Amino acid sequence: MHISARVDYAVRVLLEIARAQPNSVKADAIASAQGIPPKILESAAAELRRAGLVTSRRGPDGGYRLARPAAEISIADVIRAVEGPLASVRGERPEDVTYSGAAEPLQRVWIALRVNIRAVLEQVSIADIAWDKLPDFVADLVTDPGAWSRRPVPEGP
């Protein structure tokens, strides 16, 4: 999976806003704190606003605020807001493609990849990152990449 600069900027914008809560934060403060060019910040903020993740108000007392608590905004929400659906995998639905012969198990690999990417992105919130309270499984994965294979995989799409 490729994390684009647009997604990275959008997450960083949300982190600065989360840290400022309950106060609003001005675009220039976010741009300065994160080294994001103002035009790019405005574009990211507009996408986040359209997705209902932030609100904004103009004027001297204006700025950006989160539209809902940081703990309720996952990294997956941000990716969907900026780029659309999460990882899609060829062959994740039986009608997409038929694998046969030596390639038959490959379909299960692609499905497992999609499920695990979604599991991480759905379970890490803006609050987790803003206050450096990442779920234990993230630290485990950084120090022991094999830890993920020993973790139960969530059910569902």
Side-chain angles (χ1 to χ4, degrees):
M1 176 172 194
H2 173 78
I3 302 298
S4 69
R6 287 176 53 205
V7 168
D8 181 64
Y9 288 141
V11 171
R12 291 164 51 196
V13 166
L14 288 171
L15 293 171
E16 286 297 323
I17 297 169
R19 281 278 187 95
Q21 296 296 305
N23 301 317
S24 60
V25 60
K26 296 196 177 294
D28 60 343
I30 298 169
S32 175
Q34 290 299 318
I36 300 173
K39 286 192 182 278
I40 291 174
L41 184 139
E42 290 298 330
S43 175
E47 290 174 323
L48 296 170
R49 199 172 43 250
R50 279 190 295 277
L53 299 178
V54 300
T55 61
S56 62
R57 195 168 111 189
R58 294 180 188 253
D61 294 329
Y64 293 99
R65 290 180 189 253
L66 296 180
R68 59 185 197 242
E72 295 177 13
I73 302 172
S74 71
I75 300 304
D77 293 331
V78 181
I79 293 171
R80 286 184 194 108
V82 173
E83 295 195 334
L86 294 178
S88 63
V89 176
R90 177 180 162 86
E92 65 185 75
R93 297 179 323 191
E95 63 272 16
D96 287 348
V97 66
T98 301
Y99 289 87
S100 59
E104 193 170 333
L106 181 59
Q107 185 175 27
R108 293 192 306 271
V109 172
W110 296 150
I111 293 168
L113 177 67
R114 178 186 57 94
V115 167
N116 285 293
I117 286 171
R118 285 186 178 182
V120 171
L121 297 174
E122 294 283 358
Q123 293 179 41
V124 176
S125 74
I126 293 299
D128 293 335
I129 300 168
W131 291 284
D132 198 9
K133 304 272 188 206
L134 294 173
D136 290 339
F137 76 85
V138 173
D140 293 345
L141 287 171
V142 171
T143 59
D144 178 12
W148 190 254
S149 64
R150 296 185 296 277
R151 183 179 177 276
V153 176
E155 296 290 324

